[in-house]
Amino acid sequence: MSEIPLPPPLEPVDESWGRALCVVAHPDDMEFGTAAAVARWTGQGKWVGYTMVTSGEAGIDGMEPDEARRVREAEEVASAAVVGVDVVDFLGQPDGILEYGVALRRVLTAEIRRHRPDVVITGNFRDTFGGRNLNQADHIAVGKATLDAVRDAGNRWVFHEQVEEGLEPWGGVKAVWAAGSPDSTHGVDTTDSFDAGVESLKAHQAYIDGLGWENWDPAEFLEGIGRAVGQRMGVAFAASFEVLPMGWGD
Ligand SMILES: [Zn+2]
């Protein structure tokens, strides 16, 4: 009888920061596991802002993009409010067909220069979520471009037109954290803020209805993920992150 190896333990993330900007492709990306961690941090008095690169307008099969954009932006604003986030920016990039490259880095750099965060949180940008669960193209493009934009933001000669228009360079981001990565190294205990995370996912009712998953229960779904990560930290529920330090030799 062979034993299945347990996933490695996760180290608690460094929470000695004041401002975090979460940069994700779609409304709902934060709510599938990370929002409970956000609720914990806003509860500690930290500032957390959300940047939605698209408005998820191509995400509901039975709804035209113009209508879906309006519905999904409203759901995301409500969802963010549940976990103490009152700044949600929508960058209006095209849902489903984002391209990694200079154009995407430019808009993300402006966001980072505008909000001047200590930590930037993005979604998993590896090829899979583990096993054969394939990742999605927009997530990969956004994660990679975010990592680059954090560096671009500190260099006044990259996207210099933004500096000329009054956005100061910002090189203060200590690390980028990719949520839910199969290469996660760290975790956050979300036991006390778990319920807020569930409520924030439930705010995406039109999107959830549009998925057409019968009898799908947001609480049950988040419990499954949260417990599996929690086991790696010795707590009931947790959220996982791949921590990418932005210094050299950290
Ligand atoms: Zn997504």
Side-chain angles (χ1 to χ4, degrees):
M1 211 172 100
S2 65
E3 270 185 54
I4 298 166
L6 289 169
L10 298 171
E11 214 181 294
V13 293
D14 176 2
E15 291 182 312
S16 64
W17 47 269
R19 294 175 66 79
L21 184 65
C22 303
V23 181
V24 295
H26 311 116
D28 79 73
D29 285 356
M30 289 302 294
E31 287 71 40
F32 278 89
T34 313
V38 171
R40 168 184 166 105
W41 294 323
T42 57
Q44 293 170 345
K46 301 181 193 303
W47 181 87
V48 180
Y50 282 4
T51 297
M52 300 292 129
V53 178
T54 80
S55 293
E57 68 273 13
I60 303 179
D61 186 57
M63 197 184 280
E64 292 287 335
D66 281 346
E67 170 75 352
R69 177 182 294 109
R70 193 186 58 73
V71 168
R72 300 206 65 197
E73 287 186 359
E75 286 188 343
E76 183 57 33
V77 168
S79 174
V82 170
V83 293
V85 172
D86 51 20
V87 173
V88 185
D89 295 339
F90 296 93
L91 302 187
Q93 302 298 302
D95 183 19
I97 51 172
L98 290 180
E99 284 181 304
Y100 167 75
V102 171
L104 186 53
R105 282 165 53 189
R106 179 179 283 115
V107 294
L108 297 181
T109 296
E111 274 292 279
I112 293 162
R113 286 174 171 167
R114 193 173 295 127
H115 292 297
R116 305 170 78 82
D118 307 307
V119 169
V120 169
I121 293 166
T122 187
N124 170 31
F125 56 86
R126 302 299 179 193
D127 289 339
T128 72
F129 279 95
R132 292 178 184 274
N133 301 304
L134 285 176
N135 204 345
Q136 190 265 356
D138 287 351
H139 300 161
I140 297 171
V142 166
K144 289 185 170 176
T146 297
L147 205 53
D148 291 340
V150 163
R151 286 187 161 155
D152 298 337
N155 184 336
R156 72 173 58 253
W157 304 116
V158 174
F159 308 130
H160 185 63
E161 71 281 1
Q162 295 174 2
V163 178
E164 286 180 325
E165 285 161 13
L167 281 179
E168 287 295 315
W170 176 247
V173 178
K174 290 182 283 191
V176 174
W177 298 355
S181 165
D183 298 336
S184 287
T185 49
H186 291 68
V188 179
D189 181 352
T190 54
T191 307
D192 293 340
S193 53
F194 182 81
D195 292 344
V198 172
E199 289 310 308
S200 81
L201 179 52
K202 284 182 179 169
H204 291 276
Q205 197 54 55
Y207 176 68
I208 291 169
D209 290 347
L211 292 172
W213 296 340
E214 292 226 2
N215 301 321
W216 184 77
D217 178 16
E220 207 173 270
F221 175 84
L222 291 177
E223 274 169 25
I225 302 176
R227 271 190 211 289
V229 180
Q231 280 181 350
R232 299 170 67 184
M233 297 189 78
V235 298
F237 297 116
S240 65
F241 296 90
E242 178 179 355
V243 170
L244 302 136
M246 296 313 295
W248 189 258
D250 289 8

